[in-house]
Amino acid sequence: EVQLQASGGGLVKAGGSLRLSCAASGFAVDDYAISWFRQVPGKGREGVSCISKNDGNPYYEASVKGRFTTSSDNAKNVVHLQLSALTPEDTAVYYCARTKLCGSLWYVHGHYDYWGQGTLVTVSS
């Protein structure tokens, strides 16, 4: 059974850091692209990053580029998202999701077949 389990969220002050993890089971993360999305109440789900061995460098949403870093630990079958220099605008529920390739339309959430349950990141000012 394919499952994605997101964890690592919490409360952090502005300027702080967190590391989110997406633990996969039922498939190898090395064979797929794993993305992070985030969502705040009343807004749509926003693509944050996408990583795949077949896409070269990871993709990032413009507002997080240089602050967030995604990486894949294939031995543990986990994809991480390191969040740094956090601002209150980064407050959201963060989800990981699976697709076959990132590509230029990686941020379109309709391309994803499995989603994790989400982990809440709250950044205080």
Side-chain angles (χ1 to χ4, degrees), residues 60-110:
Y60 294 99
E61 192 272 330
S63 70
V64 309
K65 197 172 289 186
R67 300 189 299 122
F68 293 6
T69 303
T70 189
S71 60
S72 181
D73 184 339
N74 296 329
K76 295 183 178 179
N77 217 32
V78 174
V79 172
H80 298 291
L81 183 66
Q82 178 70 42
L83 289 65
S84 303
L86 285 161
T87 73
E89 288 68 39
D90 295 315
T91 294
V93 177
Y94 284 71
Y95 300 87
C96 56
R98 185 188 86 163
T99 188
K100 194 57 180 173
L101 288 172
C102 294
S104 59
L105 297 177
W106 64 271
Y107 51 88
V108 176
H109 54 78

Side-chain angles (χ1 to χ4, degrees), residues 14-72:
S17 299
L18 280 175
R19 189 175 81 156
L20 307 184
S21 298
C22 178
S25 58
F27 72 100
V29 295
D30 198 36
D31 292 336
Y32 288 84
I34 301 296
S35 287
W36 288 93
F37 287 77
R38 64 186 179 184
Q39 189 170 23
V40 298
K43 291 190 176 182
R45 206 163 284 191
E46 173 188 53
V48 175
S49 67
C50 186
I51 187 168
S52 165
K53 71 172 183 180
N54 294 317
D55 286 279
N57 294 327
Y59 293 82
Y60 294 99
E61 192 272 330
S63 70
V64 309
K65 197 172 289 186
R67 300 189 299 122
F68 293 6
T69 303
T70 189
S71 60
S72 181

